Amino acid sequence: MLHSHLIQWILFQSSSEDPSTPASHEPEIQLGISALVGFVGQALAEMAADNVCYSSMRKLSTFQKAESIATDNDSYQQFEVALTMDTGSCTDIVPDHKDAVMMVAVKQFAQEQHRAYRYLAYCTRKLFTTQPNRRFAWGLTACGTTVRACLFAHDKVLSSEAMDVSTSDGRRVFVELLTNWTMCESWRLGYDPTIRHDADLKHWEIDVYDSETQLTHSYICEDIRCNTNSTFGRHTRCFVAREKPADPASAADHNFPKVLIKDTWAHPISPGSDVARDEVAYLREIRDELAKDNTLNGTYPRLEAGGMVQIMCSDGVADDTTQLILVDIAEDTRAKVPNRIHRRIVMSPVGEPIHNLKSIDELIVIIGDVMAAHTAIAKRCGLLHRDLSVNNIMFHRDANGGVKGMLVDFDNACRIADMENMKQPDCVGTLPFMSIGNLEISGVKRTVLDDWESLIYILCWLGTFGINQADQDSAKAVRDLPIQKWQTGSAADVATLKRQYMHEISYFVEYILQHILNAQGFEELRKLFSNAF
């Protein structure tokens, strides 16, 4: 049966079909892919059985969701077919994105290649979301008898030349590719060997290399606080964890303090400039400079360990970067892909998001703490945060229930001295909270005043939308609020709106003040805004 599906796919002629007709042959292509993958897997398994050197070789297989046949309208609610690792064990568990090695986008016609790319990108996003140990991802498109392999780096997708399985040369190249994926190291498939899942204890273990001490620490993850939800970008993940006990018998001991592990793929320099950025170095400077100031304890993340992720390769230990991902790609192609570095940082204390606050009074307290931390970091450490937003202001509670605000995420921070030498200040931050000068990419150098301006927008935002669900005004049509436009359109459009809303008191009242929530405590914000003008 498998051979008949394979032959049917090889003999399939998509060029004679009309792309406007329903995708009735896509199930045949899916079965053909499954047949070829199964054939290669079986052949390699037989080879492995006769050679102890290949005993640990993985076996690729395919799986599909029930009723997942694509239609012409490209419903993105279900995926078509995926490659996974066949463990050989019987199970009633239906595989899902978390089990997939890579996704496969199937289209009936060769002319649908761009639709296949688009669909594959959407499906691949789910791999990054559901697999905490995913560094990058491979994927396949099959349009008629034409197969292409895709590599999803953090800024670009690289696609191979076409492999036409209707020809012997095309089948040979595709079989070689499947064989390489079967036998290669896991890091070449996109997995992170420094994040491992313990199936028996049902938790993730995470290794963190500390560049200062040059030691590696292992942690047990208790919760994934933040996960990536995109195919491209920094792929920031945050884990709540505790250091792994040296004695495995003590693994259930919860006396180890909780820490937050931040895992991200960052640009080593500011885009459009030659100014270096290093969040680990910034946090180390902040810790060392402010450690003796007890009034600031807990208002910034204290660095416990951190550095670039170290990957054990065939040539030894290597820093994990985009260039390592593309190590087997031609040099001229690698040069066209922006380089990112894979950093992992351990910090304490573990903060909570703003929406867990109980009142406006608590908000005012944590904003004061954040302003104090920001001022100290700028004056004493010479660092400008440059990305104040509702997500980068957190808090934690003391034993008596009091709150302490904390300024987090120094990914976009920059040394003030370096900014003096920037030919053109870069545009960084979170759109609704960026200063007007930042949005307009003006030639005026950025200062602490840009970050204070961001704080004003944060208070406007929280005053309009509330700090938690209990504050929400169910009668208010959120989509019609003027401030809602701060998160749509171009940076220049948002800058124009902010100039309009903040120009004078009458406009501010019309566009902002009259939309402040009527919930308890928000009258204090109205007074604050009124006094500011």
Side-chain angles (χ1 to χ4, degrees):
M1 181 64 73
L2 288 178
H3 292 293
S4 65
H5 289 319
L6 178 56
I7 293 172
Q8 193 172 12
W9 180 32
I10 291 172
L11 298 178
F12 178 74
Q13 296 293 323
S14 65
S15 58
S16 61
E17 303 282 355
D18 178 7
S20 64
T21 60
S24 56
H25 293 288
E26 287 180 5
E28 299 172 16
I29 299 173
Q30 294 169 7
L31 291 172
I33 294 172
S34 297
L36 183 54
V37 171
F39 173 79
V40 173
Q42 182 178 350
L44 291 174
E46 292 174 358
M47 179 184 71
D50 298 329
N51 192 327
V52 68
C53 295
Y54 301 121
S55 59
S56 61
M57 181 175 62
R58 68 180 65 87
K59 180 181 177 183
L60 293 178
S61 59
T62 62
F63 70 85
Q64 296 175 246
K65 282 290 191 181
E67 300 179 355
S68 61
I69 299 173
T71 61
D72 194 53
N73 63 5
D74 271 350
S75 172
Y76 288 163
Q77 298 305 308
Q78 302 177 70
F79 58 88
E80 304 172 34
V81 60
L83 296 186
T84 187
M85 294 182 192
D86 187 355
T87 61
S89 59
C90 296
T91 177
D92 295 329
I93 299 176
V94 178
D96 209 330
H97 287 98
K98 69 181 186 305
D99 308 300
V101 174
M102 66 190 71
M103 305 307 300
V104 184
V106 176
K107 295 298 171 192
Q108 182 172 347
F109 308 106
Q111 302 96 308
E112 296 181 286
Q113 185 62 57
H114 287 291
R115 293 179 65 193
Y117 284 145
R118 186 172 66 247
Y119 186 78
L120 182 64
Y122 179 87
C123 292
T124 299
R125 183 187 70 170
K126 297 294 186 181
L127 297 190
F128 290 110
T129 301
T130 59
Q131 299 179 13
N133 60 336
R134 176 64 71 169
R135 297 164 53 242
F136 67 94
W138 290 94
L140 285 173
T141 63
C143 299
T145 59
T146 301
V147 178
R148 285 182 170 84
C150 298
L151 190 155
F152 288 84
H154 297 87
D155 294 282
K156 287 191 176 183
V157 180
L158 302 180
S159 178
S160 71
E161 294 184 358
M163 295 169 279
D164 188 349
V165 296
S166 67
T167 68
S168 58
D169 283 344
R171 291 193 296 275
R172 175 182 56 79
V173 174
F174 187 36
V175 168
E176 288 177 353
L177 179 64
L178 292 174
T179 302
N180 286 335
W181 280 338
T182 299
M183 304 181 70
C184 71
E185 304 97 319
S186 63
W187 65 269
R188 293 182 185 271
L189 278 177
Y191 293 107
D192 188 339
T194 66
I195 300 181
R196 304 168 300 278
H197 188 258
D198 189 318
D200 294 330
L201 297 178
K202 297 181 180 180
H203 64 224
W204 292 91
E205 292 187 8
I206 305 170
D207 293 338
V208 180
Y209 173 75
D210 182 48
S211 57
E212 185 176 33
T213 62
Q214 298 185 0
L215 297 175
T216 297
H217 305 265
S218 295
Y219 297 84
I220 296 174
C221 175
E222 294 189 352
D223 181 39
I224 300 177
R225 180 66 59 86
C226 167
N227 211 340
T228 184
N229 191 32
S230 63
T231 306
F232 305 104
R234 293 188 294 176
H235 286 172
T236 300
R237 298 181 175 96
C238 293
F239 308 89
V240 176
R242 299 179 192 267
E243 190 160 5
K244 183 179 179 180
D247 180 6
S250 302
D253 185 358
H254 293 288
N255 291 328
F256 291 91
K258 287 185 179 181
V259 295
L260 186 76
I261 301 176
K262 178 182 177 181
D263 185 279
T264 189
W265 287 80
H267 287 294
I269 62 172
S270 295
S273 74
D274 58 356
V275 176
R277 295 197 311 204
D278 187 345
E279 187 176 15
V280 176
Y282 297 158
L283 291 176
R284 187 170 292 132
E285 291 177 31
I286 293 170
R287 177 197 64 191
D288 294 345
E289 177 63 32
L290 306 183
K292 295 181 180 180
D293 191 337
N294 293 331
T295 64
L296 294 173
N297 283 350
T299 62
Y300 57 89
R302 176 182 170 81
L303 179 69
E304 304 292 344
M308 292 180 63
V309 173
Q310 307 289 292
I311 299 292
M312 178 61 72
C313 307
S314 54
D315 296 330
V317 177
D319 292 336
D320 198 13
T321 66
T322 304
Q323 293 305 303
L324 179 64
I325 292 174
L326 305 178
V327 65
D328 297 319
I329 306 296
E331 185 175 352
D332 59 336
T333 301
R334 293 203 308 268
K336 299 175 183 177
V337 181
N339 190 41
R340 289 178 182 261
I341 59 177
H342 189 186
R343 286 198 186 104
R344 193 167 293 154
I345 309 171
V346 182
M347 302 167 285
S348 64
V350 178
E352 296 183 53
I354 281 179
H355 62 72
N356 285 344
L357 290 171
K358 298 178 180 179
S359 67
I360 285 292
D361 289 342
E362 289 190 340
L363 173 65
I364 293 173
V365 169
I366 72 165
I367 290 295
D369 292 334
V370 165
M371 293 175 70
H374 185 280
T375 299
I377 291 168
K379 288 184 176 180
R380 295 162 59 178
C381 304
L383 295 169
L384 192 61
H385 188 278
R386 303 199 306 166
D387 189 16
L388 268 70
S389 71
V390 293
N391 293 324
N392 291 339
I393 295 176
M394 307 195 81
F395 75 97
H396 51 96
R397 295 187 182 276
D398 58 29
N400 298 319
V403 294
K404 175 75 76 172
M406 183 166 59
L407 180 61
V408 303
D409 194 354
F410 288 79
D411 252 353
N412 287 316
C414 188
R415 300 185 194 282
I416 296 174
D418 288 339
M419 296 181 66
E420 297 282 350
N421 301 320
M422 278 189 181
K423 295 180 180 179
Q424 177 68 44
D426 50 342
C427 181
V428 298
T430 307
L431 198 62
F433 314 113
M434 292 165 63
S435 70
I436 293 174
N438 193 1
L439 290 165
E440 294 178 338
I441 320 180
S442 69
V444 180
K445 69 177 182 180
R446 306 288 183 265
T447 69
V448 293
L449 294 180
D450 289 273
D451 283 356
W452 293 148
E453 186 178 335
S454 293
L455 270 178
I456 294 174
Y457 300 140
I458 289 171
L459 290 174
C460 290
W461 191 268
L462 295 173
T464 303
F465 296 111
I467 58 175
N468 53 46
Q469 191 63 41
D471 295 330
Q472 301 304 311
D473 186 348
S474 59
K476 186 172 292 184
V478 173
R479 69 181 62 183
D480 297 329
L481 293 173
I483 199 173
Q484 180 75 9
K485 298 177 182 178
W486 286 1
Q487 63 180 354
T488 59
S490 67
D493 292 337
V494 175
T496 299
L497 289 171
K498 286 183 175 179
R499 283 191 180 278
Q500 179 183 3
Y501 296 175
M502 313 298 284
H503 179 63
E504 60 180 56
I505 185 62
S506 60
Y507 292 134
F508 183 75
V509 169
E510 178 182 355
Y511 293 115
I512 302 294
L513 204 56
Q514 72 171 354
H515 299 289
I516 298 295
L517 290 173
N518 293 317
Q520 182 178 0
F522 283 82
E523 63 274 4
E524 296 300 323
L525 278 184
R526 286 195 186 86
K527 293 177 183 178
L528 178 65
F529 289 139
S530 298
N531 293 335
F533 273 93

